[in-house]
Amino acid sequence: MNFKFNIKRALSIAKKEQFHIMRDPFTLTMATVLPVLLVLIFGLAIEFNVKDIGLTVHDSDRTFSSRKLVEVFSSSQYFNINPSRGSIVDAINDLDSERSKASLIIEPEFEHNLLAHGNTKAQFVLDGADNSTAGVILGYLGGIQKAANFKLTGTLVKEPIELKTRYLFNPELSSPWFIVPGLAVVVIAILSILLTALTVAREWENGSMELLLSTPVQPLEIIIGKLIPYTVIGLAAVLLVVLVAILGFGIPFAGNFILFGFGSLIFLIACLAQGMLISVLIRTQQLAMQIAMITGLLPSLLMSGFIFPLESMPKYPQNFTSILPSKWFMIISRGIFLKGADFSDLKLPFIGLFLLSAILIITATKKFKKDLEP
Amino acid sequence: MTNIPVNAVDVSNLTVKFGDFIAVNNISFSVEKGEIFGFLGSNGAGKTTTIRVLCGLLLPTSGKVKVSDVTYDQGIEAIKAKVGYMSQKFTLYNDLSIQENFAFTASLRKIPSDTLKRRTKELLSFIGFSKPMNTLVRDLPGGIKQQVSLAASILHDPEIIFLDEPTAGVTPVARARFWALIKQLAKDGKTIFVTTHYMDEAEQCGRIALMRTGEIIALDAPENLKKTTFPDPIIELNPKGTIPSEMIEQLRTNKAVDSIDSYGMKYHLIIKDPQEWNQLSINIAPYFVIRQIPPSLEDVFIRLVEGVTR
């Protein structure tokens, strides 16, 4: 393998690529509009804290205590009370018909038991088909139960062990705080893989690859030269995302900007190199674009921990995510953004990211065909 | 001054295979310095493959190649530095200006900027280009694009210029203009290696090689090819009216006739037995205007390349 490298030739490739970018409205539009659009969509539309949950209440007791219990639910701002339309069966049917996500069934003896035995029961039925909502509701129940105890008995029940929870880094568990820093990862991944996937394929399609190959230019020079301008675009896109996060969503940037920039840079290079590899292997732009979408968008959305926690994955796919640059940068991005982590906290992800980008660049260079064999 | 003839290109026993497919099958030839050497053959005959090997764009499967005193042993880059290559595809960047395209090519070949300036000026006046240098390539008409592409491929002043179907898809006027440029380059001492589909272009080459399915089946000056292929005169038959196809078939099987092929509305006939032909020509005189014509390169091509498969 020939790794002769001449920086001047790489720079003239970069300069030429810059002309292409500046004269192609598609590239520039995508580079600026896509990040902003994604931040707005994800930042505004995605909310993990489920609110306005339909709750059918079947109150057979109809006493002061049972009404108090219902009041706790209705005043929690999480639930919308749907009065029962008759029997207990109807209350359960409401889950089938999607009228409600949960049903609260209060038996006739509710208040009596409370007053007589100091202990009473109500049944809470959850729609398990939608398990992400069910999980969230379950999380609310603990708090609601406590509030109900206080309201019904007037005293805080002393439990032998009490766990007090405090959320660090995101005290209100605000979804945009969680989503937007992760979005930096998704934006870079999609943008850079898409942009670069087309560039080498385009040279093949236009015939200009024959011109390149008839000169002494080396594959590594072409790869590096093409990476440079897209790195600049990518960094600008990251900056855009960070600015929108801070100014638009009021998310505090806890860490070091330089370290974040450095992490973004390595991640960018890894993604660009991945796009370049696709482009080198696939000689038509259309196919390269489709493969870039699948390998760029899907893993960074689904397998990076962006929305779905990696810890909940089975062992094998979880290990697999380690070869995805987006997984490592997700850790870096959230760590620096929200927790203010420094380099010593993030050594492993940084090393992983660095190794992956080196491997991708070397593979792309090696796979670069220097001859015109059909 | 002693004039030792040094060949610009020496190819011996070159074979190129793509998997099981043999694109070029054991060909040998030489091209002299300053020659216009034509490669003639139908699509898939192996012309482009041969050119790509000679430009260092494709590694030969076996055989020896020497281009401008450089062999493959000295590295592919050494060959690339010696030759200029103009692909049959249009290889300049449409969204870059002429200036930018030239500067880009020059920088990849490490041509110093003052040399680039001088060469650009020379070449643009050579091709008679008068538009501003910052014109985008996409705004140029096809014929001009072709000429600019030629200029870009010889920026580094190579000794040998490989042109792979350089005039495909341009107007006849632009083709004539392009060939004037090729001849001028040859006059200036450059070796030109050109592939073409056009017979009139092949006529203008010093020597031509005819390729068929990866082999060179004939190689000589156009005039010699005509003489050796057609020692006997060619008879042109111009039908006076509608001729039934059976009559042509009868002629084909006639003792006097070696072969008969249609050329548009006319037929070209080659005589096998002159005495028999004298009789036959009188017999068919009512149906055809008969005249003796010199063979064209197209006759040669059809006889050699397509005749073999018949």
Side-chain angles (χ1 to χ4, degrees):
Chain A
M1 189 62 222
N2 196 344
F3 275 112
K4 269 189 280 178
F5 184 73
N6 179 282
I7 187 72
K8 270 192 181 164
R9 279 205 290 254
L11 286 178
S12 39
I13 298 264
K15 192 173 162 198
K16 180 215 69 155
E17 211 63 29
Q18 182 206 326
F19 288 138
H20 289 321
I21 296 167
M22 309 263 277
R23 285 164 200 178
D24 178 20
F26 173 75
T27 312
L28 278 182
T29 313
M30 195 149 88
T32 49
V33 174
L34 188 78
V36 175
L37 209 62
L38 281 176
V39 172
L40 290 181
I41 291 175
F42 280 96
L44 294 177
I46 290 202
E47 178 62 58
F48 294 130
N49 299 331
V50 188
K51 285 182 185 166
D52 301 326
I53 303 156
L55 175 69
T56 298
V57 174
H58 181 82
D59 184 358
S60 313
D61 199 36
R62 295 176 189 278
T63 56
F64 176 76
S65 300
S66 70
R67 277 194 297 275
K68 275 275 178 216
L69 178 63
V70 176
E71 213 179 282
V72 172
F73 278 94
S74 63
S75 62
S76 71
Q77 68 168 311
Y78 297 124
F79 295 97
N80 279 345
I81 308 296
N82 298 323
S84 175
R85 290 177 296 185
S87 66
I88 294 182
V89 179
D90 288 325
I92 302 302
N93 281 344
D94 278 358
L95 300 187
D96 294 347
S97 65
E98 290 284 326
R99 187 168 170 246
S100 297
K101 281 280 170 201
S103 292
L104 177 66
I105 318 266
I106 305 172
E107 301 269 287
E109 300 289 293
F110 183 75
E111 190 178 54
H112 172 78
N113 282 341
L114 179 67
L115 298 176
H117 312 291
N119 177 318
T120 191
K121 283 178 187 156
Q123 189 180 25
F124 195 80
V125 185
L126 263 174
D127 177 3
D130 177 358
N131 71 1
S132 72
T133 311
V136 175
I137 297 173
L138 219 52
Y140 298 151
L141 280 183
I144 285 181
Q145 192 174 357
K146 253 186 207 173
N149 283 339
F150 179 67
K151 268 209 160 159
L152 292 176
T153 61
T155 51
L156 276 172
V157 182
K158 282 269 180 259
E159 292 173 36
I161 300 171
E162 192 183 1
L163 288 178
K164 288 230 173 205
T165 314
R166 203 186 127 225
Y167 299 106
L168 289 179
F169 316 123
N170 186 359
E172 290 169 31
L173 285 186
S174 149
S175 296
W177 283 36
F178 173 70
I179 285 285
V180 175
L183 201 54
V185 180
V186 178
V187 167
I188 300 174
I190 299 174
L191 193 66
S192 51
I193 293 177
L194 265 189
L195 290 181
T196 46
L198 304 181
T199 70
V200 178
R202 186 167 54 202
E203 305 262 8
W204 281 112
E205 264 181 23
N206 291 356
S208 46
M209 188 54 86
E210 298 204 12
L211 173 90
L212 287 182
L213 293 181
S214 70
T215 71
V217 71
Q218 298 297 314
L220 188 64
E221 291 159 2
I222 298 180
I223 303 268
I224 299 287
K226 280 174 172 289
L227 285 181
I228 295 171
Y230 290 104
T231 307
V232 174
I233 291 186
L235 281 178
V238 177
L239 190 65
L240 207 59
V241 171
V242 171
L243 284 180
V244 174
I246 297 173
L247 302 176
F249 290 93
I251 303 168
F253 192 95
N256 183 331
F257 275 107
I258 309 274
L259 189 64
F260 185 77
F262 179 64
S264 306
L265 182 68
I266 309 179
F267 178 60
L268 248 172
I269 291 172
C271 289
L272 291 168
Q274 186 182 337
M276 200 61 77
L277 179 62
I278 294 169
S279 197
V280 162
L281 295 175
I282 314 284
R283 287 192 186 178
T284 61
Q285 290 193 64
Q286 206 179 1
L287 189 59
M289 180 117 162
Q290 285 165 1
I291 292 185
M293 280 297 260
I294 294 168
T295 59
L297 183 63
L298 293 186
S300 62
L301 275 182
L302 303 178
M303 302 183 80
S304 65
F306 172 52
I307 295 175
F308 308 107
L310 295 180
E311 291 75 13
S312 62
M313 279 186 183
K315 199 92 192 146
Y316 179 69
Q318 195 180 336
N319 290 340
F320 169 76
T321 59
S322 297
I323 66 160
L324 299 174
S326 46
K327 169 198 169 160
W328 298 114
F329 187 58
M330 189 63 73
I331 301 172
I332 294 175
S333 177
R334 286 206 176 116
I336 297 176
F337 216 116
L338 295 176
K339 301 188 203 167
D342 56 28
F343 185 73
S344 57
D345 302 321
L346 297 169
K347 257 186 224 146
L348 181 68
F350 266 102
I351 290 169
L353 208 50
F354 184 80
L355 282 180
L356 285 174
S357 54
I359 289 169
L360 284 165
I361 289 183
I362 291 169
T363 319
T365 308
K366 281 203 166 188
K367 289 281 172 196
F368 198 101
K369 288 196 75 125
K370 269 180 82 178
D371 60 34
L372 286 175
E373 191 176 323
Chain B
M1 200 173 101
T2 50
N3 215 342
I4 307 159
V6 182
N7 286 333
V9 176
D10 270 311
V11 173
S12 54
N13 306 104
L14 171 69
T15 298
V16 182
K17 289 182 191 171
F18 301 125
D20 284 337
F21 176 70
I22 303 172
V24 173
N25 191 3
N26 196 27
I27 63 171
S28 303
F29 63 92
S30 298
V31 180
E32 282 165 31
K33 267 191 180 163
E35 189 177 14
I36 301 181
F37 188 85
F39 245 35
L40 199 58
S42 45
N43 283 333
K47 295 172 296 176
T48 298
T49 305
T50 308
I51 275 208
R52 284 179 172 173
V53 170
L54 296 179
C55 294
L57 290 169
L58 197 61
L59 290 171
T61 311
S62 65
K64 279 213 173 101
V65 170
K66 199 161 128 192
V67 180
S68 210
D69 286 330
V70 180
T71 64
Y72 261 92
D73 305 334
Q74 286 154 267
I76 211 161
E77 309 305 336
I79 292 182
K80 283 183 182 176
K82 291 275 188 180
V83 306
Y85 169 63
M86 183 176 158
S87 160
Q88 54 186 314
K89 289 183 194 152
F90 183 71
T91 57
L92 294 183
Y93 295 98
N94 273 314
D95 54 344
L96 264 58
S97 71
I98 296 153
Q99 169 82 61
E100 287 158 354
N101 265 301
F102 278 23
F104 177 62
T105 312
S107 67
L108 294 187
R109 291 193 179 274
K110 291 193 185 173
I111 299 174
S113 65
D114 50 331
T115 314
L116 170 66
K117 236 182 210 164
R118 180 175 54 78
R119 284 294 289 167
T120 305
K121 223 175 136 192
E122 273 172 25
L123 287 169
L124 289 186
S125 81
F126 169 65
I127 64 172
F129 187 82
S130 54
K131 287 194 175 143
M133 281 290 285
N134 59 6
T135 313
L136 291 186
V137 168
R138 79 158 76 91
D139 298 332
L140 297 175
I144 308 284
K145 272 189 182 182
Q146 224 76 359
Q147 292 168 23
V148 171
S149 183
L150 171 69
S153 63
I154 57 177
L155 264 182
H156 56 301
D157 204 11
E159 293 161 36
I160 310 176
I161 302 160
F162 289 92
L163 306 168
D164 195 3
E165 292 184 23
T167 54
V170 302
T171 63
V173 180
R175 284 212 290 134
R177 171 99 188 94
F178 196 88
W179 268 86
L181 294 178
I182 291 179
K183 287 196 160 163
Q184 185 56 49
L185 285 170
K187 215 183 242 172
D188 296 343
K190 305 291 178 199
T191 308
I192 312 282
F193 194 117
V194 59
T195 72
T196 181
H197 275 310
Y198 297 106
M199 298 302 159
D200 59 329
E201 292 184 352
E203 296 267 12
Q204 306 190 52
C205 297
R207 286 189 306 151
I208 48 177
L210 256 67
M211 280 198 90
R212 195 179 71 89
T213 57
E215 288 168 23
I216 293 179
I217 51 173
L219 197 172
D220 213 332
E223 284 316 305
N224 295 343
L225 277 180
K226 289 176 197 170
K227 267 184 222 149
T228 49
T229 317
F230 297 103
D232 303 314
I234 291 184
I235 309 297
E236 182 192 76
L237 305 178
N238 192 359
K240 288 174 176 168
T242 318
I243 303 295
S245 58
E246 298 89 62
M247 181 181 283
I248 304 301
E249 284 312 309
Q250 277 171 22
L251 284 175
R252 202 188 298 286
T253 50
N254 193 291
K255 274 187 281 181
V257 178
D258 183 59
S259 71
I260 180 165
D261 290 297
S262 64
Y263 278 72
M265 299 299 287
K266 300 171 185 172
Y267 297 91
H268 286 188
L269 184 147
I270 292 153
I271 301 165
K272 193 192 264 169
D273 185 333
Q275 252 127 42
E276 295 271 352
W277 168 249
N278 283 341
Q279 184 55 44
L280 181 66
S281 63
I282 296 163
N283 291 347
I284 62 170
Y287 306 103
F288 297 98
V289 178
I290 302 170
R291 120 188 132 96
Q292 198 171 322
I293 54 161
S296 73
L297 210 50
E298 195 163 0
D299 294 310
V300 175
F301 185 78
I302 289 181
R303 191 163 178 84
L304 290 178
V305 174
E306 296 179 359
V308 183
T309 50
R310 191 165 282 156

